[in-house]
Amino acid sequence: MLKFLLTRVSLVIPTFIGVTLLSFALIRLVPGDPIELLAGERGIDPARHAALRAELGLDRPLLEQYWIYIQKVLHGDLGVSIVTKTPVLQEFLTLFPATVELSLFAILLALLVGLPIGILAAVKRGSWFDYSTMGLSLVGYSMPIFWWALLLILFFSVQLGWTPVSGRISVLYWVEPVTGFMLIDSLLSDEAGAFRSALSHLILPSIALGTIPLAVIARMTRSSMLEVLSEDYIRTARAKGLAPWRVIVVHALRNALIPVITVVGLQVGVLFAGAILTETIFAWPGVGKWLIESVQRRDYPVLQGGVLLVASVVMAVNLIVDLLYGLVNPRIRR
Amino acid sequence: MKKTLLASVCMAAALGLSGNALAAKTLVYCSEASPEGFNPSLYTSGTTFDASSRAMFDGLVAFERGTTQVVPGLAESWEISDDGKTYTFHLRKGVKFHTTRNFTPSRDFNADDVLYSFNRQWKKDHPDHKLSGGSYEYFNGMDMPKLLKNIYKTDDYTVVFELNQPEAPFIANMAMDFASILSAEYADTMRKAGTPEKIDLEPVGTGPFQLVNYQKDAVIRYKAHPDYWAGKAKIDRLIFSITPDAAVRYAKLKAGECHVMPYPNPADLKEMEKDPNIQLLSQEGLNVGYLAWNTTKKPLDNPKVRKALNMAINKDAIIDAIYLGAGVAAKNPIPPTMWSYNDEVKDDPYDPVLSKRMLAQEGYPDGFEIDLWAMPVQRPYNPNARRMAEMMQADLAKVGVKAKIVTYEWGEYLKRSKKGEHQSILLGWTGDNGDPDNFLYVLLSCAAADGSNRARWCYEPFDDLLIKAKRTTDIKERTRLYKQAQVIFKEQAPWFTIAHSKVFMPMSNRVVDYKIDPFGGHIFYGVDLK
């Protein structure tokens, strides 16, 4: 197990270098100049432009810039945003809990709904339930998030008035950020109704963000269940006269879950990608929206630091999933 | 109606609105983005000014709400010396700064605050010059370092600004956001406490609202400044609910989650007009969209060729198709709401036949090839430059001119066009201070021909008029000079003037006395809720 752990962890190092190199190189390969963008139509006088570039270190050779950047990163310094002049790490730490909260809810929703649907569809293979849920999951998988999110808002918030349109909590509440997780913070605060408000604000964005993982999980569970259900040992279990639910949940599901866990781990990356759109639409103050803005503004430190931090989280989650996988399936450990 | 009522009840339940929260008059504004920060002298975007200077600070002078007229602010009155080089401001007495969690002012506003606010931006050795990144782009962009010779106080309530040369627009510059007055005492206190960064993060001003708290990308909360010198605001609390997507802002307005929203989608305007719960205010913006001909490149160096090209483009069709009725045709480089606008100038008619004949007379019977640059972004003065360029391309083809559409990433576009790589370029401008100089001199003077003057047009008779108008503070004389300049502009045709776009502000019917700011700002002092 230790060897397995070490191999997995050692793989993180090249990935880390790759991510820093890519995020550093890509943003510099696309044309654009953060200083020009800040100045806009007004323009900026060439001497001042040069002075600002020098101040930001953008006048040095690329390799030197990268070297300085890596050294700083290793010392835990991710730099300061060109636009807001705030340290990147500080901005990330205020925004990241919002993304985590949303992603957790989305994946929870996807699991709670996707797993039972997948199991049922497999058990009732060929029934109307199977066809309709698999059809719907295909639709869910192919749906553009921004469109789906707007549709949800227009129907549930504007037409029915059941859910709030956007944000993390009603603007009338001020909840002092303690953990950064609004649900926890609102419970800790003494404002009555704040928790309920925070919960109601989570519903639509979780649905919007959770739809694609839900569809993937449902389809994956179904196909993996079907495969397992046709195995000999299932027939044996049935022949032993075990209760049908016991055969499905205890014997079949446990083995069917292995590929599903991998997929869930991979969905974390998908969730972060989806969070970019979901956060923009639902005015959700998370890192997705922050990263998009940094690209538009060519805010190099934010983009580099942000991508690195998000990538680290995705790597960490995948590492955990790999370890879990090893636990569930001992054959992998060798 | 029943459904709406039910919806709002559910809404209130969902939001958990308590009686307390509703008792104070709270106006919610669905703003479009987070501010870059809260010290207006450090930043350049309108979003930041809305959240900082326009809510929390005052300048020595101000623009009267909804107009471009300069009125007294923290200075009750001012005098300008005969040579136009010395401005003496007499400051208002009894003006209180905000009292916040970590600062209680011990004195009223005085000349030291004015000196602090300007010297911090101007003097490189000022202790706070380098604070928060220390780049003061507007102060530099308005050429203040070149213009200012000296600033000093003669007593606690008199400040003198000496300039290196007469500059008539100076007084309007003083009403701009970068010229907001910060508290010198607060800066001092924070520096002594070892937390100078708080000067900019937790701002203290004299303005109508004071900051309560801010959460990036989510919400900014203000409360009315109880001792505001011009009288306490009519609303008790002001909340910016940051909502980047226009469709979602509209949904929030409909669901009653905000009272005012900026920048609606043009496609939603018709529906908004019909909605009985929404009032849709509109006003011509202080802007211009134009197509600049690079007058240093052949054959565009010939004014007759430029004139012919101007007659080849169907302006009305563009305004219908691109601005969707939210724009008025432009014939001058300055908008009609600005003083000295010359309405007697006649626009070039759309006449492809005459245009083709004129081109033939100038030696181009078969036309020629040019490039036509189109912006990659939506701007207030041009909602869809790419589509506009295609329409222009089709029009120009009819007179034999083959235009190739070129586009770059926005920063690159600005940089390359400043160097004059283009032959013709779509761009525009939104005014800063309501002075015609801020359009004509910035966009068309010889001094700017290597930068913001994208036509790279340097025409002495025109330039002389602009310089003369800068040197005199007599508004009648300046009006005369600018009107004359507009005539020359039209004859020489460095631009094809396209449109001045209209600004739309949808808001709840409960909002009373909102006035659209010609500078594109969003101002809530003076606004009430019924």
Side-chain angles (χ1 to χ4, degrees):
Chain A
M1 187 65 194
L2 188 70
K3 197 179 157 206
F4 170 72
L5 191 73
L6 284 178
T7 343
R8 283 290 184 240
V9 173
S10 63
L11 274 178
V12 166
I13 297 165
T15 320
F16 173 83
I17 296 175
V19 167
T20 54
L21 203 61
L22 259 183
S23 62
F24 181 88
L26 281 181
I27 188 69
R28 280 169 174 77
L29 279 179
V30 279
D33 176 338
I35 299 161
E36 280 300 333
L37 280 176
L38 276 178
E41 286 92 338
R42 160 173 308 285
I44 186 165
D45 138 278
R48 181 131 186 89
H49 186 261
L52 282 175
R53 277 185 74 83
E55 221 168 272
L56 296 172
L58 296 175
D59 58 337
R60 295 163 197 256
L62 275 185
L63 268 180
E64 194 185 332
Q65 284 186 45
Y66 180 67
W67 179 235
I68 295 174
Y69 168 62
I70 284 292
Q71 275 179 323
K72 284 190 172 171
V73 167
L74 291 176
H75 285 94
D77 176 8
L78 292 175
V80 171
S81 158
I82 295 176
V83 178
T84 62
K85 334 264 194 231
T86 324
V88 173
L89 190 63
Q90 187 189 326
E91 289 200 344
F92 179 82
L93 290 178
T94 41
L95 298 172
F96 191 57
T99 303
V100 173
E101 192 171 50
L102 175 59
S103 305
L104 273 181
F105 260 75
I107 201 80
L108 207 67
L109 177 93
L111 282 171
L112 285 181
V113 183
L115 275 181
I117 286 182
I119 298 170
L120 256 174
V123 173
K124 303 199 177 252
R125 183 186 183 180
S127 68
W128 66 267
F129 179 82
D130 183 19
Y131 287 129
S132 56
T133 50
M134 287 307 112
L136 276 178
S137 74
L138 192 63
V139 174
Y141 185 70
S142 358
M143 206 132 54
I145 291 187
F146 66 92
W147 177 82
W148 175 225
L150 274 179
L151 212 68
L152 287 172
I153 290 179
L154 287 179
F155 187 67
F156 288 105
S157 306
V158 177
Q159 196 64 35
L160 297 174
W162 289 358
T163 48
V165 176
S166 73
R168 274 182 100 185
I169 191 165
S170 158
V171 288
L172 299 177
Y173 294 110
W174 174 252
V175 173
E176 207 57 52
V178 184
T179 60
F181 295 93
M182 191 54 90
L183 281 181
I184 302 175
D185 290 349
S186 61
L187 272 180
L188 294 176
S189 81
D190 45 11
E191 294 213 47
F195 178 74
R196 218 170 112 182
S197 172
L199 197 63
S200 69
H201 279 78
L202 256 172
I203 300 171
L204 291 191
S206 304
I207 296 179
L209 184 57
T211 301
I212 291 179
L214 191 159
V216 173
I217 289 171
R219 292 182 77 86
M220 195 67 212
T221 311
R222 177 183 177 271
S223 64
S224 139
M225 271 299 269
L226 280 179
E227 207 173 299
V228 173
L229 283 176
S230 63
E231 297 271 346
D232 289 344
Y233 73 90
I234 295 289
R235 207 178 320 142
T236 315
R238 280 191 181 133
K240 278 199 301 185
L242 288 180
W245 68 267
R246 207 179 148 79
V247 173
I248 292 163
V249 177
V250 179
H251 292 252
L253 185 61
R254 185 141 179 228
N255 283 306
L257 270 186
I258 295 171
V260 176
I261 290 179
T262 317
V263 167
V264 171
L266 290 175
Q267 290 300 310
V268 173
V270 176
L271 277 180
F272 279 124
I276 293 175
L277 282 173
T278 317
E279 287 176 1
T280 307
I281 299 220
F282 287 99
W284 194 266
V287 291
K289 200 165 133 279
W290 178 61
L291 282 178
I292 280 287
E293 262 173 25
S294 75
V295 178
Q296 286 159 352
R297 290 164 161 177
R298 298 291 184 278
D299 196 340
Y300 297 160
V302 168
L303 188 77
Q304 286 163 200
V307 167
L308 182 64
L309 289 168
V310 171
S312 311
V313 173
V314 174
M315 282 191 279
V317 171
N318 275 296
L319 185 69
I320 294 169
V321 169
D322 276 356
L323 297 179
L324 269 183
Y325 199 46
L327 280 183
V328 178
N329 188 354
R331 273 173 298 175
I332 307 282
R333 280 181 233 159
R334 276 178 228 125
Chain B
M1 186 62 213
K2 221 179 211 167
K3 200 158 65 184
T4 329
L5 193 67
L6 185 70
S8 26
V9 171
C10 291
M11 193 73 242
L15 287 169
L17 299 184
S18 60
N20 242 352
L22 291 174
K25 257 189 203 175
T26 305
L27 187 137
V28 183
Y29 166 62
C30 274
S31 63
E32 73 284 7
S34 288
E36 298 152 302
F38 286 103
N39 177 349
S41 60
L42 288 165
Y43 307 105
T44 51
S45 82
T47 309
T48 298
F49 296 152
D50 285 347
S52 60
S53 41
R54 288 162 188 159
M56 294 191 285
F57 292 97
D58 291 306
L60 290 174
V61 292
F63 295 113
E64 193 183 356
R65 204 159 66 94
T67 73
T68 58
Q69 206 191 328
V70 176
V71 293
L74 292 180
E76 272 178 324
S77 62
W78 58 90
E79 291 129 28
I80 308 168
S81 66
D82 290 340
D83 65 358
K85 290 207 249 179
T86 308
Y87 286 71
T88 308
F89 291 94
H90 302 286
L91 308 184
R92 197 177 290 278
K93 289 176 183 157
V95 174
K96 308 277 184 223
F97 277 102
H98 304 149
T99 301
T100 64
R101 233 180 344 175
N102 46 29
F103 176 67
T104 309
S106 70
R107 61 163 177 83
D108 290 349
F109 152 77
N110 69 25
D112 291 331
D113 302 312
V114 180
L115 294 184
Y116 172 80
S117 306
F118 285 94
N119 285 338
R120 175 177 167 185
Q121 301 186 59
W122 184 26
K123 308 268 185 193
K124 290 205 164 64
D125 55 357
H126 189 279
D128 289 344
H129 182 76
K130 281 273 151 211
L131 196 62
S132 313
S135 63
Y136 305 94
E137 290 323 317
Y138 245 115
F139 185 81
N140 286 295
M142 298 307 287
D143 271 339
M144 297 304 277
K146 241 186 261 170
L147 202 58
L148 289 175
K149 189 173 166 199
N150 199 4
I151 310 176
Y152 57 91
K153 63 172 186 178
T154 53
D155 61 54
D156 270 356
Y157 290 95
T158 314
V159 180
V160 180
F161 284 72
E162 284 178 2
L163 310 184
N164 285 317
Q165 77 219 29
E167 169 87 0
F170 179 75
I171 199 74
N173 289 353
M174 289 295 101
M176 286 173 61
D177 303 85
F178 78 86
S180 295
I181 303 299
L182 281 66
S183 163
E185 191 195 358
Y186 178 56
D188 227 29
T189 315
M190 288 302 109
R191 220 177 303 117
K192 279 182 191 146
T195 51
E197 70 284 352
K198 284 199 176 159
I199 302 170
D200 299 329
L201 292 175
E202 296 171 20
V204 166
T206 58
F209 298 97
Q210 64 181 85
L211 187 67
V212 177
N213 44 41
Y214 164 56
Q215 198 191 359
K216 187 177 161 58
D217 288 343
V219 65
I220 316 172
R221 267 155 233 276
Y222 306 90
K223 64 178 184 188
H225 177 19
D227 306 312
Y228 188 51
W229 59 270
K232 186 176 168 279
K234 290 172 191 158
I235 47 175
D236 304 302
R237 297 182 196 180
L238 173 64
I239 296 178
F240 283 25
S241 175
I242 300 164
T243 314
D245 190 276
V248 178
R249 285 200 291 275
Y250 181 33
K252 290 186 87 143
L253 183 64
K254 279 200 281 195
E257 286 183 45
C258 58
H259 298 110
V260 183
M261 66 169 274
Y263 313 114
N265 277 332
D268 288 334
L269 292 172
K270 279 227 168 75
E271 198 189 312
M272 288 173 174
E273 257 170 10
K274 283 187 208 139
D275 192 325
N277 298 316
I278 290 176
Q279 45 175 331
L280 184 64
L281 305 190
S282 71
Q283 189 182 297
E284 275 157 34
L286 203 66
N287 61 46
V288 63
Y290 60 80
L291 173 70
W293 307 114
N294 187 340
T295 57
T296 58
K297 287 193 175 167
K298 275 195 181 313
L300 299 167
D301 56 340
N302 179 349
K304 285 183 186 149
V305 170
R306 300 195 296 256
K307 198 87 180 161
L309 294 180
N310 282 0
M311 292 161 83
I313 303 173
N314 188 348
K315 193 177 296 186
D316 291 338
I318 287 176
I319 287 170
D320 285 346
I322 309 288
Y323 291 86
L324 303 173
V328 279
K331 57 181 179 181
N332 288 320
I334 62 173
T337 44
M338 186 171 259
W339 59 271
S340 82
Y341 180 80
N342 192 344
D343 210 11
E344 279 153 31
V345 168
K346 285 249 166 344
D347 203 2
D348 301 316
Y350 169 55
D351 192 341
V353 179
L354 181 59
S355 165
K356 203 166 167 50
R357 202 181 312 143
M358 280 165 75
L359 285 177
Q361 276 167 7
E362 296 308 310
Y364 302 99
D366 304 318
F368 47 86
E369 285 181 16
I370 56 166
D371 59 34
L372 170 54
W373 287 30
M375 301 168 317
V377 289
Q378 191 181 23
R379 301 296 286 169
Y381 47 76
N382 191 336
N384 189 346
R386 181 78 205 183
R387 177 85 193 92
M388 188 185 283
E390 285 165 7
M391 290 180 76
M392 290 177 163
Q393 185 185 39
D395 284 342
L396 290 172
K398 286 179 202 150
V399 297
V401 174
K402 285 185 212 63
K404 191 175 123 218
I405 297 174
V406 176
T407 192
Y408 291 100
E409 179 278 333
W410 184 223
E412 197 67 16
Y413 186 87
L414 293 168
K415 189 153 80 179
R416 285 174 185 257
S417 62
K418 223 159 62 177
K419 288 189 201 143
E421 289 181 19
H422 58 285
Q423 282 174 300
S424 68
I425 183 166
L426 285 171
L427 210 61
W429 185 252
T430 304
D432 297 305
N433 60 12
D435 198 291
D437 178 82
N438 180 246
F439 276 75
L440 299 173
Y441 197 79
V442 176
L443 304 176
L444 293 157
S445 68
C446 292
D450 214 12
S452 51
N453 176 350
R454 256 58 179 208
R456 301 177 85 77
W457 182 60
C458 177
Y459 187 65
E460 256 176 51
F462 179 85
D463 213 52
D464 286 347
L465 291 172
L466 298 192
I467 288 168
K468 264 190 210 153
K470 245 184 191 313
R471 299 273 152 89
T472 169
T473 48
D474 176 9
I475 195 118
K476 269 194 196 142
E477 175 62 6
R478 293 186 73 204
T479 304
R480 193 185 64 78
L481 293 165
Y482 286 137
K483 282 198 167 173
Q484 213 178 324
Q486 288 166 70
V487 175
I488 299 180
F489 167 87
K490 205 73 217 176
E491 284 166 8
Q492 292 290 317
W495 293 355
F496 172 72
T497 48
I498 306 165
H500 310 289
S501 76
K502 264 185 175 174
V503 178
F504 287 89
M505 284 296 291
M507 60 194 73
S508 147
N509 267 342
R510 290 185 55 210
V511 179
V512 184
D513 207 16
Y514 184 91
K515 292 205 170 114
I516 293 185
D517 176 31
F519 301 106
H522 303 97
I523 300 171
F524 297 95
Y525 180 67
V527 178
D528 201 356
L529 279 175
K530 64 179 175 201

